[in-house]
Amino acid sequence: MSAVLRTAGLSKRWGAFYANRDVSVAFEQGARHALIGPNGAGKTTFIDLLTGTVAPSAGRVYLDGDDITTLAPHRRVKRGIARTFQASTLFPSLTVLESVMLAVCEREGRGGAGWRALASETAASSEALAILDALHLGAESDSTTRTLAYGKQRLLEIALALATRPRMLLLDEPAAGIPAKESVEVLGAIARLPREVTVVFIEHDMDLVFRFAERITVLVAGSVLAEGAPDEIAADPRVREVYLGEIPQGEAPLA
Amino acid sequence: MAGSAERREPPRRAAAPAPRRGSLSDGRWRPLEVAFWAGTLAAYFAFPAWHVLGSQILITGLFAVSLDIVLGYAGIVSLGHAAFFGVGAYVAGLLAANGWHEPLSALGAAALAAAVAGYLASFLVVRGTDLTRLTVTLGIGLMLWEAANRASSITGGVDGLSGVTLAPILGRWTFDLRGDVAYAYALVVVFAVFTGVRRIVSSPFGRSLVGIRESSTRMAAIGAPVERRLRAAFTLGAAIAGIAGALIAQTTQFVGIDALSFERSAEVLVMLVLGGAGRLYGGLVGALVFMVAQNGLAGIDPVYWQFWLGCLLVVVVLFFREGILGGAANLAARARGRRR
Amino acid sequence: MHGDFIGVVFDGIAFGSLLFVIAVGLSVTLGLMNFVNLAHGSFAMLGGYVCVVLMSALRVPFLLTLPAAFVAAAAAGLVLERTLYRRLYHASPLDQVLFSIGVVFISIAGATYVFGSSQQPVRLPGYLQGQVRVAGHDFGVYRIFLVAVVALLTIALEYVIRRTRFGSLLRASVDHATAAAGLGIDVGRVFALAFALGSGLAGLGGGLAIDVLGLDPTFPLKYMVDFLLVVAVGGAGSVRGPLIAALILGVFDVAGKYYVPELGGFAVYALMIAMLLRFPLGLHGRLG
Ligand SMILES: Nc1ncnc2c1ncn2[C@@H]1O[C@H](COP(=O)(O)OP(=O)(O)OP(=O)(O)O)[C@@H](O)[C@H]1O
Ligand SMILES: [Mg+2]
């Protein structure tokens, strides 16, 4: 099996409510894998479990076959798992460049260095600038994060994740809030990342999902409803049933 | 790797990075900073009668700076920071009262002891909610106060520790009653420590503390060991508080048990917030304003002092949230906006 | 009571009961409004002084001063909540801490100005003094009275929270403040009433406490850490959690001071900190 990351019977319970129930999914090396499902299906919770932001109630998470279920979030990052957050989770008072540089420094193991100024980390700053340029954020590098427009904050989320040089990139609705034209561009850029990087993305816009995903997992009410190639998913009657009525006519290729 | 994401457009601005990077704080001293420290030096000559008060302001300012690392930068609300100030004061005082009269080594010992105390305490503090942190820091402070009170045969208890006698600094400068040497000594040590703090807060470590304060979740998601960083910050803050405590013990040649009191923890919190937390100079400016005001009202009954202190807190929180430096920065920004 | 274990435990329970009455309001404020009100003890002090003044100046019987203490503290809580506290519900914990320390200082200065800094004497009525002997053990009558009052109060509080409309509104608001607001619950009013109730209980506790904890202007500061511990260990937003925590704290504090006086308060603080590390969110999560 060439699964980079896989889960076995993963569950998360809040009180009596299962946000995830017995989820077993494998992400193949180099995959472009979409995670879809209605609001409240437990997609974000699943990412939280994969990254260690939230501890599971049951089940295991394996990275390269190693059990990482109880590994601290920052150690998973060191092992190559990076994520973005659905609700922008950034550093409001730091500048865009500083934020990305912090991520680069952490990756290089220099995040705890206490004597030289962050500004003098020239290697980190040119790498950070390159990442920002690639995401069309170069012009904003000196802006304070809190002054950024919402769409740009979404891009900064992605920049931060890329700066960790992930092998496994988990994107929670990366395109939400970005103008349609740009969101195609952004997801395109991500899909074109080298195949050493496995990409999992949550997305509600079915256009984008079917354009960029090579594999799709459908979560409903915390459980996996279906999984397969895009055409299989599009043809799956159970999936159509869940999505019928949810998506206005003509907007989804499913309809 | 991110470069490979975009083939379209080679970066167009070869010349841009240099001016852009100028906006990150690059360690150069700004004119206002130079003026500030020149002022502290000029004060030595301009106010020879006020050296005692001046040295205490400097030292208390350093104490507030140490809290700034913990609170303003790392975002840990502490109600017991005086614990480490007190540890430093007692270590320096006890050394001097028991035969070790050399001041600089005692200063180092005090910093070390406070750092160890801070490191141990940090394990209790960095985990948990704000409520837990408040409770634990308050509890640690009270326990140390009680310990000093009970060990009165060693510490002098509520009467304070006297008999603190010091050898001349570097064998040359003897502490005098007018506070000339005390002021110079305090200024040199405070400036040296402050310069270090100044470097640290603009380093990757210092910036990562700001990151943790603003979003510890995101900081962990870019691979930072959040708890370890917070423990380091707490330890550093404790060590510097210990230096401040030692300086007070040495310059006043006395240690009162109030060095460990809750009131002292609360006062330093007030000074820092008054000056502007998370702003490097906030602690120094806050201590200056606070202590000059306190000195001006010295004649008044301590009860009234407490009353005004309480009112000050309420007013600062309700109407003056960013402290003196924050307010000044806002005013400056507004003035610049108008000129355009 | 030479090493009278039962007697010591009973004293501890009485002390813990007092802590609970005073601190339970803090638990509600914290759980409900997320407000770290360090000035909670000031309301207790207010209740204490109301009792003292009514008894000494107006010769009101002790038992009648207690409801007055409740009413006065609740009224003060209501006024302050409506004018000041509510403006800080969304402020950072630091702001709340600074603000409420300010209130503590003002209340200490105010109390010193009006009543002086000395301990207030209280003369309990004759029928609450002395000891009774039950099964070979001596129990202070006033301690028995305290435990009984607190037991009744706890039952009443549980009733209010579980059985009344206000209680269900309160529970709903603690669980999901935004959802509750969405359902048309006037969360602001629930907050104000809860704050007043909590302050009132603190005031009542302050009146009951004069004979046990003493009363002087530093009261809010002296016991601040105990109130915080009760809530932090018990779990903010809960009633039973703080009750258990208060009893543990009371018993171990009294027993510690009785059996190992050299250690004094250290043992109990160490125990509480250990519990905090074991249960970082408290013994009980939510209102229950
Ligand atoms: N901390 C929590 N406590 C209780 N319930 C929670 C918590 N976090 C999430 N939930 C619930 O778990 C369910 C799944 O949430 P999740 O955010 O994972 O859904 P999602 O699929 O990402 O939805 P969306 O498409 O709206 O982002 C939701 O019903 C949510 O209310
Ligand atoms: Mg989601």
Side-chain angles (χ1 to χ4, degrees):
Chain A
M1 249 195 347
S2 62
V4 199
L5 186 66
R6 108 188 136 76
T7 67
L10 210 53
S11 297
K12 179 66 207 179
R13 216 155 45 87
W14 311 101
F17 172 78
Y18 277 90
N20 272 193
R21 186 197 285 267
D22 199 16
V23 178
S24 301
V25 175
F27 299 110
E28 301 294 318
Q29 169 68 50
R32 301 293 180 258
H33 196 135
L35 206 54
I36 66 171
N39 289 112
K43 306 179 293 292
T44 299
T45 304
F46 185 59
I47 302 266
D48 286 345
L49 295 173
L50 294 179
T51 55
T53 315
V54 165
S57 312
R60 319 298 307 174
V61 181
Y62 299 95
L63 178 69
D64 302 325
D66 302 338
D67 189 338
I68 59 161
T69 315
T70 56
L71 203 62
H74 72 273
R75 297 202 186 280
R76 300 188 199 202
V77 179
K78 291 265 182 298
R79 295 203 48 174
I81 302 181
R83 72 171 296 180
T84 67
F85 292 87
Q86 179 174 4
S88 293
T89 304
L90 300 165
F91 310 123
S93 78
L94 297 185
T95 69
V96 170
L97 179 59
E98 272 181 315
S99 307
V100 180
M101 281 175 71
L102 277 186
V104 174
C105 287
E106 292 297 344
R107 188 196 74 216
E108 297 289 311
R110 308 187 37 73
W115 203 240
R116 285 182 54 202
L118 178 65
S120 63
E121 301 274 346
T122 41
S125 97
S126 35
E127 182 180 340
L129 283 171
I131 294 171
L132 291 172
D133 282 338
L135 291 165
H136 303 301
L137 275 176
E140 311 282 348
S141 64
D142 273 349
S143 308
T144 308
T145 300
R146 82 159 61 80
T147 66
L148 281 190
Y150 182 75
K152 308 246 173 197
Q153 295 200 6
R154 302 301 304 155
L155 293 174
L156 181 53
E157 279 276 333
I158 298 170
L160 288 177
L162 287 176
T164 68
R165 281 207 193 139
R167 296 188 301 133
M168 182 82 217
L169 184 57
L170 308 168
L171 304 163
D172 196 346
E173 305 199 15
I178 307 183
K181 190 176 116 327
E182 275 179 52
S183 63
V184 172
E185 226 173 83
V186 167
L187 275 180
I190 289 165
R192 286 195 305 275
L193 287 171
R195 283 288 164 170
E196 291 85 74
V197 185
T198 306
V199 180
V200 175
F201 62 101
I202 298 176
E203 187 50 68
H204 280 294
D205 183 335
M206 291 304 143
D207 271 340
L208 292 173
V209 169
F210 283 90
R211 191 148 164 189
F212 294 107
E214 294 156 0
R215 199 162 181 83
I216 299 175
T217 297
V218 187
L219 270 183
V220 174
S223 305
V224 176
L225 178 78
E227 190 185 319
D231 47 347
E232 292 165 14
I233 294 297
D236 191 316
R238 293 167 306 169
V239 177
R240 295 180 66 93
E241 192 184 315
V242 168
Y243 272 90
L244 270 182
E246 287 234 9
I247 298 166
Q249 287 279 314
E251 201 181 305
L254 286 176
Chain B
M1 168 218 70
S4 68
E6 273 306 319
R7 304 165 204 150
R8 291 178 304 101
E9 202 180 355
R12 239 182 291 132
R13 82 181 96 66
R20 281 191 347 177
R21 219 166 291 134
S23 72
L24 283 181
S25 69
D26 58 359
R28 239 167 299 167
W29 291 80
R30 280 168 295 165
L32 259 181
E33 294 186 273
V34 176
F36 178 89
W37 290 105
T40 60
L41 193 59
Y44 179 87
F45 302 101
F47 307 110
W50 297 94
H51 284 168
V52 173
L53 177 65
S55 63
Q56 295 191 1
I57 291 176
L58 284 168
I59 295 165
T60 311
L62 183 65
F63 181 33
V65 168
S66 76
L67 180 64
D68 203 13
I69 296 170
V70 171
L71 173 70
Y73 287 91
I76 301 171
V77 184
S78 168
L79 287 181
H81 202 55
F84 309 109
F85 182 84
V87 166
Y90 274 108
V91 167
L94 286 170
L95 282 174
N98 292 289
W100 186 273
H101 302 299
E102 203 290 305
L104 289 178
S105 53
L107 201 60
L112 189 65
V116 169
Y119 181 69
L120 294 178
S122 73
F123 285 85
L124 307 176
V125 173
V126 300
R127 319 188 90 182
T129 59
D130 280 311
L131 172 65
T132 324
R133 289 172 172 182
L134 289 174
T135 311
V136 169
T137 50
L138 184 62
I140 290 171
L142 291 180
M143 273 159 78
L144 279 182
W145 189 95
E146 187 61 31
N149 185 30
R150 273 160 192 270
S152 58
S153 58
I154 305 169
T155 63
V158 287
D159 297 332
L161 175 71
S162 41
V164 178
T165 48
L166 290 164
I169 300 163
L170 297 176
R172 278 193 62 182
W173 293 284
T174 311
F175 285 99
D176 58 297
L177 282 179
R178 300 191 321 139
D180 297 353
V181 170
Y183 186 90
Y185 176 56
L187 180 56
V188 169
V189 174
V190 169
F191 180 71
V193 175
F194 182 86
T195 308
V197 173
R198 192 176 169 283
R199 285 195 77 118
I200 291 171
V201 297
S202 61
S203 71
F205 169 74
R207 298 284 93 193
S208 77
L209 293 181
V210 176
I212 291 170
R213 184 190 73 208
E214 302 209 310
S215 173
S216 62
T217 315
R218 168 49 88 181
M219 211 57 211
I222 59 174
V226 170
E227 282 188 13
R228 177 141 49 95
R229 289 285 155 74
L230 289 178
R231 283 204 300 274
F234 199 81
T235 307
L236 179 68
I240 294 173
I243 293 177
L247 284 175
I248 276 287
Q250 293 179 335
T251 55
T252 61
Q253 317 223 338
F254 177 77
V255 183
I257 197 167
D258 67 312
L260 286 166
S261 66
F262 172 76
E263 282 82 354
R264 190 169 293 253
S265 294
E267 265 181 17
V268 73
L269 206 57
V270 177
M271 291 179 208
L272 176 59
V273 172
L274 186 66
R279 290 182 174 275
L280 197 56
Y281 282 85
L284 295 173
V285 171
L288 176 68
V289 172
F290 185 96
M291 291 184 71
V292 167
Q294 191 179 33
N295 192 63
L297 303 169
I300 76 170
D301 194 314
V303 174
Y304 293 105
W305 170 245
Q306 205 168 31
F307 176 78
W308 290 116
L309 182 58
C311 291
L312 182 68
L313 272 167
V314 170
V315 168
V316 163
V317 171
L318 289 179
F319 305 110
F320 208 54
R321 226 357 243 116
E322 292 177 76
I324 295 170
L325 292 186
N330 288 348
L331 281 181
R334 216 177 297 168
R336 243 174 294 148
R338 208 167 295 149
R339 239 178 286 138
R340 276 203 202 119
Chain C
M1 278 196 275
H2 324 281
D4 179 352
F5 181 68
I6 305 274
V8 168
V9 169
F10 189 74
D11 272 8
I13 290 176
F15 176 45
S17 307
L18 261 184
L19 284 180
F20 168 70
V21 174
I22 299 179
V24 66
L26 183 60
S27 166
V28 173
T29 337
L30 252 164
L32 188 58
M33 309 142 195
N34 237 326
F35 195 104
V36 186
N37 183 18
L38 297 183
H40 193 71
S42 297
F43 295 99
M45 177 171 74
L46 174 66
Y49 279 115
V50 166
C51 288
V52 166
V53 168
L54 287 180
M55 275 192 292
S56 60
L58 302 174
R59 311 250 158 250
V60 179
F62 176 69
L63 287 185
L64 289 184
T65 64
L66 293 175
F70 177 92
V71 171
L78 191 65
V79 170
L80 283 180
E81 200 275 346
R82 289 287 85 179
T83 51
L84 296 177
Y85 277 95
R86 59 182 312 188
R87 312 169 89 188
L88 293 169
Y89 284 156
H90 297 290
S92 68
L94 172 64
D95 283 352
Q96 299 175 346
V97 161
L98 290 169
F99 172 82
S100 52
I101 290 180
V103 174
V104 169
F105 283 163
I106 293 173
S107 71
I108 291 178
T112 312
Y113 181 76
V114 179
F115 301 103
S117 59
S118 57
Q119 283 282 343
Q120 293 295 321
V122 62
R123 252 197 91 65
L124 294 174
Y127 55 85
L128 287 177
Q129 292 177 13
Q131 315 258 321
V132 288
R133 221 178 151 71
V134 181
H137 298 285
D138 285 327
F139 296 102
V141 175
Y142 188 64
R143 310 285 149 120
I144 297 177
F145 168 75
L146 268 184
V147 173
V149 169
V150 172
L152 285 176
L153 271 178
T154 311
I155 293 169
L157 206 55
E158 282 279 319
Y159 177 83
V160 168
I161 286 174
R162 304 228 158 264
R163 296 269 182 270
T164 64
R165 191 175 135 67
F166 171 69
S168 53
L169 291 182
L170 193 61
R171 273 180 295 144
S173 310
V174 170
D175 285 343
H176 292 289
T178 31
L183 291 175
I185 296 177
D186 185 349
V187 179
R189 240 193 74 196
V190 174
F191 281 12
L193 285 177
F195 197 95
L197 178 66
S199 308
L201 285 173
L204 175 62
L208 289 168
I210 308 172
D211 190 56
V212 181
L213 304 181
L215 179 65
D216 70 271
T218 63
F219 183 93
L221 214 51
K222 216 168 13 178
Y223 295 101
M224 186 193 282
V225 75
D226 297 276
F227 305 148
L228 282 174
L229 275 174
V230 165
V231 176
V233 171
S238 143
V239 169
R240 281 177 208 169
L243 178 61
I244 298 167
L247 292 179
I248 295 176
L249 196 145
V251 169
F252 278 84
D253 193 40
V254 172
K257 284 181 178 145
Y258 190 85
Y259 291 112
V260 264
E262 323 78 62
L263 272 181
F266 292 109
V268 71
Y269 283 137
L271 174 74
M272 288 284 144
I273 286 179
M275 289 182 70
L276 268 181
L277 290 181
R278 177 66 190 75
F279 306 103
L281 295 179
L283 299 171
H284 253 261
R286 296 268 104 183
L287 206 62

